Amino acid sequence: MSPITRGFRGRRPDVDPARIPPGQYMTRDFPVLSAGPTPRVDTATWQFSIDGNIAGHPVTWTWDELLALPQETFTVDIHCVTKWSKLDTTWTGVSVDTLLAGIDTRSQWVTIWCDGGYTTNLPLADLTGGKAWVVHRYDDAPLEPAHGGPARLLVPHLYFWKSAKWVRGLTFTPSEEPGFWEDAGYHRRGDPWREQRYWSD
């Protein structure tokens, strides 16, 4: 006898295909992918900084200062370069626009750096205009360390490696400086709708 009842083969969830970029499939799980071990970060000593090519001194927030800034809760779809997409994920955090308010820079390039030594890079235009946040809650609960807690960057319009886990700061650079995966051959921008996975895409 077949171990699977005839006609019962599981069922793909109903989803509007227009929400899934080319080459992606939808998952209801939340896969954990990291380039190294999971840091365990004490919020009592956590700080977030913006530095580099800016006028004046670096700007730094403690954990309590970050939580005192205007918070936004929003629902977005996320897409990993390993081809899974997860729809309707809900996050809470601080807009990068809020963090950059009052900071004077003429640089158009940013390196994002994190606990554990991970970095990634983006044009400033991909972080501003309501397109990026430093988030600390997922699905109305504190962000788990495996998913980047206590805080990660979230840039939902790009592949998820740009949404750096355990984020600690943004450094403005005078020119583009490829980060961890970009140096390994991944695309410098990573638009899932254009399948920008590798340098050659």
Side-chain angles (χ1 to χ4, degrees):
M1 186 172 75
S2 170
I4 301 176
T5 302
R6 189 171 183 175
F8 182 77
R9 299 284 181 182
R11 183 181 168 197
R12 289 183 180 272
D14 295 330
V15 60
D16 179 358
R19 296 178 65 183
I20 307 295
Q24 298 289 114
Y25 69 89
M26 193 186 86
T27 181
R28 295 194 188 282
D29 299 328
F30 197 162
V32 174
L33 303 170
S34 301
T38 298
R40 303 288 171 174
V41 181
D42 186 351
T43 56
T45 58
W46 183 93
Q47 290 188 322
F48 182 87
S49 299
I50 295 178
D51 58 18
N53 192 16
I54 62 174
H57 298 290
V59 183
T60 299
W61 294 266
T62 65
W63 185 253
D64 288 342
E65 289 169 340
L66 182 85
L67 298 186
L69 293 173
Q71 305 290 312
E72 298 181 15
T73 297
F74 51 93
T75 299
V76 293
D77 301 339
I78 55 177
H79 311 287
C80 181
V81 73
T82 59
K83 299 192 175 183
W84 58 262
S85 291
K86 186 172 179 62
L87 308 185
D88 298 322
T89 62
T90 299
W91 309 81
T92 298
V94 178
S95 169
V96 172
D97 293 317
T98 297
L99 297 170
L100 292 178
I103 293 178
D104 182 14
T105 178
R106 293 180 177 84
S107 177
Q108 297 303 308
W109 295 102
V110 181
T111 291
I112 299 102
W113 48 277
C114 310
D115 282 306
Y118 180 83
T119 61
T120 188
N121 63 287
L122 280 172
L124 176 60
D126 276 317
L127 293 170
T128 56
K131 296 194 288 284
W133 296 262
V134 173
V135 296
H136 52 84
R137 295 182 72 82
Y138 170 72
D139 204 15
D140 202 28
L143 185 59
E144 296 179 5
H147 291 302
R152 73 181 299 162
L153 187 69
L154 188 69
V155 192
H157 67 286
L158 299 178
Y159 282 127
F160 213 39
W161 92 79
K162 296 291 186 177
S163 295
K165 294 179 178 182
W166 314 297
V167 69
R168 283 302 193 101
L170 310 179
T171 296
F172 282 90
T173 57
S175 59
E176 183 179 22
E177 296 184 4
F180 181 88
W181 287 117
E182 295 81 10
D183 261 340
Y186 282 76
H187 200 276
R188 294 187 177 185
R189 182 159 184 267
D191 182 342
W193 296 97
R194 300 176 68 182
E195 286 199 87
Q196 293 175 335
R197 301 178 189 276
Y198 307 104
W199 279 23
S200 57
D201 293 333

